[in-house]
């Protein structure tokens, strides 16, 4: 879900969302009836479709998978709705689900309705208040850290998420899982294979230095700043969004993820968060780790390992778009840009290993 200021009026293709069918389904859920008004498309960091609309005096955001569904698109949206419902009532700032349709035959895809979030996304804007005050930007970074620390501190069993993931062997699975993903990219026509210095060395280092003890918890999985909405009137997180990679795993990977993706002015990766990437002013890695510890009793001695793992995992994820670009399934410019970010991530990993 993204900032309401980038909502754009849209004519909805009935093959994507047939609102006559959605209306009947909403009526069955006991939601307010009426015409669909102000249908707008919300931009975001994912390819999932999000549409805002009003009906019966209430505002909604509909979220479903992309127009051309991938193999796991419906399962991803189905899992998101389960997680977000479980988080409702906790102190975690996340979208609130109003109703979910897990039957993909209704509109051709699983979807859910959620309440709109008042806030902005850094990929789209940086309000004058935030752009003009480095202390507010520093506090934004700390608020983001607090958000994932509070998420990781939740007893996932107590809120009904015992079956949401497979924490046993989570850390042991990471390196082989993502090396296998990288190898699978060779199926993309024209892709010459990964030209990423350090892949083997980073993987081997991670295996040798893997923490032996950790406590399972809820993992957002992709908690960089572009997947967080902030309030307009201050530095606070309005909501963590885009929960596609969430699971039950080691929450310290979320901290490593924020450290790995911390935008540094002048780097390619800083462009992922728009004007903030050039403005800087975010907390130092040391401040981020110290702040996390205020809201968590986890052992933070191995944070560098989690940061290297985040560089490794995210770099491989982004390389997938680069590979698809060779096959004409993603824009070349986007693929080249994300490949450059991947190279930066592996450079950072190698520096942390020294």
């Amino acid at each position: 879900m993204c900032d309401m200021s980038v909502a754009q009026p849209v004519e909805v293709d009935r093959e994507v969302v047939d609102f006559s069918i959605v209306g009947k389904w909403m009526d069955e859920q006991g939601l307010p009836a009426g015409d669909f008004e102000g249908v707008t498309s919300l931009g975001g960091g994912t390819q999932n479709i999000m549409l805002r609309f009003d009906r019966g005096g209430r505002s909604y955001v509909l979220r479903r998978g992309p127009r051309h569904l991938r193999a796991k698109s419906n399962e991803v949206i189905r899992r998101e709705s389960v997680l977000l419902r479980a988080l409702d009532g906790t102190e975690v700032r996340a979208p609130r689900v109003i109703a979910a349709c897990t039957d993909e035959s209704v509109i051709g895809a699983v979807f859910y309705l959620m309440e709109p979030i008042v806030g902005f996304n850094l990929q789209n804007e940086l309000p004058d208040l935030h752009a003009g005050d480095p202390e507010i930007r520093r506090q934004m970074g700390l608020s983001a850290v607090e958000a994932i620390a509070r998420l990781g501190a939740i007893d996932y069993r107590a809120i009904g998420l015992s079956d949401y993931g497979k924490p046993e062997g989570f850390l042991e699975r990471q390196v082989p899982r993502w090396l296998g993903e990288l190898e699978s990219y060779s199926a993309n026509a024209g892709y010459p294979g990964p030209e990423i210095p350090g892949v083997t060395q980073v993987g081997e280092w991670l295996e040798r230095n893997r923490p032996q003890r950790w406590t399972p918890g809820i993992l957002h999985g992709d908690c960089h700043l572009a997947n967080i909405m902030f309030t307009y009137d201050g530095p606070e997180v309005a909501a963590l969004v885009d929960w596609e990679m969430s699971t039950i795993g080691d929450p310290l990977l979320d901290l490593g993820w924020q450290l790995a993706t911390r935008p540094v002015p002048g780097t390619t990766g800083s462009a992922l968060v728009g004007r903030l990437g050039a403005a800087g002013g975010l907390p130092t890695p040391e401040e981020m780790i110290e702040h996390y510890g205020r809201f968590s009793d986890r052992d933070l001695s191995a944070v560098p390992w989690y940061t290297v793992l985040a560089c490794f995992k995210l770099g491989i994820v982004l390389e997938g778009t680069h590979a698809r670009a060779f096959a004409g399934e993603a824009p070349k410019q986007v693929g080249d840009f994300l490949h450059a970010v991947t190279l930066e991530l592996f450079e950072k990993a190698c520096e942390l290993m020294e």
Side-chain angles (χ1 to χ4, degrees):
M1 188 174 338
C2 279
D3 172 22
M4 300 301 105
S5 70
V6 297
Q8 298 293 330
V10 62
E11 285 193 20
V12 182
D13 188 332
R14 290 173 64 91
E15 293 181 2
V16 177
V17 176
D18 187 331
F19 274 104
S20 64
I21 296 177
V22 172
K24 293 178 181 178
W25 177 83
M26 290 178 67
D27 293 342
E28 294 170 357
Q29 311 310 307
L31 296 171
D35 295 332
F36 287 86
E37 301 175 339
V39 178
T40 54
S41 176
L42 304 181
T46 74
Q47 296 186 44
N48 290 313
I49 292 170
M50 291 179 291
L51 301 170
R52 178 173 176 166
F53 62 88
D54 295 328
R55 188 180 193 234
R58 187 174 185 180
S59 297
Y60 303 85
V61 171
L62 182 151
R63 179 169 168 89
R64 56 149 287 172
R67 177 186 298 270
H68 302 292
L69 295 172
R70 296 178 180 176
K72 296 183 179 180
S73 292
N74 284 322
E75 181 59 22
V76 164
I77 299 299
R78 188 179 289 115
R79 280 173 53 81
E80 279 187 4
S81 68
V82 169
L83 175 68
L84 293 177
R85 277 181 156 170
L87 291 176
D88 190 14
T90 72
E91 59 186 7
V92 174
R93 297 184 178 182
R96 182 177 178 276
V97 173
I98 298 170
C101 180
T102 58
D103 181 357
E104 59 198 71
S105 69
V106 175
I107 66 167
V110 172
F111 69 94
Y112 60 86
L113 302 178
M114 53 188 167
E115 293 183 349
I117 294 170
V118 178
F120 68 92
N121 181 287
L122 287 165
Q123 286 185 312
N124 303 312
E125 70 170 301
L126 186 65
D128 291 342
L129 174 67
H130 304 72
D133 190 338
E135 177 58 22
I136 284 186
R137 298 195 296 275
R138 191 180 77 88
Q139 291 295 331
M140 288 171 67
L142 295 178
S143 183
V145 169
E146 178 183 342
I148 58 169
R150 291 188 181 279
L151 174 67
I154 289 177
D155 182 345
Y156 66 93
R157 297 182 183 89
I159 61 172
L161 293 176
S162 296
D163 298 327
Y164 193 73
K166 299 178 181 178
E168 298 80 9
F170 176 79
L171 294 185
E172 289 81 358
R173 291 195 299 268
Q174 293 305 300
V175 171
R177 159 74 175 85
W178 293 103
L179 285 178
E181 180 76 5
L182 184 61
E183 184 177 349
S184 74
Y185 297 160
S186 296
N188 290 276
Y191 180 56
E195 298 177 354
I196 308 171
V199 169
T200 300
Q201 295 90 328
V202 174
E204 292 175 347
W205 184 90
L206 287 168
E207 293 287 62
R208 289 195 308 270
N209 295 279
R210 184 173 58 243
Q212 298 304 305
R213 294 183 180 180
W214 58 279
T215 303
I218 303 172
L219 182 74
H220 179 282
D222 193 18
C223 55
H224 55 77
L225 292 175
N227 278 344
I228 299 176
M229 293 181 66
F230 292 88
T231 60
Y232 281 107
D233 58 357
E236 293 80 17
V237 166
L240 296 169
V241 297
D242 289 346
W243 293 79
E244 298 170 48
M245 295 174 66
S246 60
T247 189
I248 305 301
D250 189 337
L252 285 180
L253 181 54
D254 275 345
L255 176 57
W257 206 271
Q258 287 200 355
L259 290 165
T261 59
R262 176 181 174 274
V264 177
T267 61
T268 302
S270 66
L272 291 170
V273 287
R275 291 171 59 197
L276 179 68
L282 291 169
T284 66
E286 293 76 18
E287 289 175 319
M288 293 170 68
I289 296 169
E290 189 274 334
H291 197 69
Y292 189 97
R294 296 184 183 182
F295 305 94
S296 173
D297 58 2
R298 295 178 183 275
D299 180 2
L300 302 181
S301 61
V303 167
W305 186 89
Y306 291 96
T307 309
V308 172
L309 176 58
C311 291
F312 178 84
K313 182 175 178 177
L314 179 56
I316 290 176
V317 169
L318 298 181
E319 182 67 8
T321 301
H322 185 229
R324 288 190 293 274
F326 278 91
E329 297 178 1
K332 183 179 184 302
Q333 182 178 4
V334 174
D336 291 344
F337 168 71
L338 294 180
H339 177 67
V341 177
T342 291
L343 296 181
E344 286 185 346
L345 287 167
F346 273 88
E347 287 175 4
K348 178 177 290 188
C350 290
E351 291 172 0
L352 290 168
M353 287 160 44
E354 295 177 356

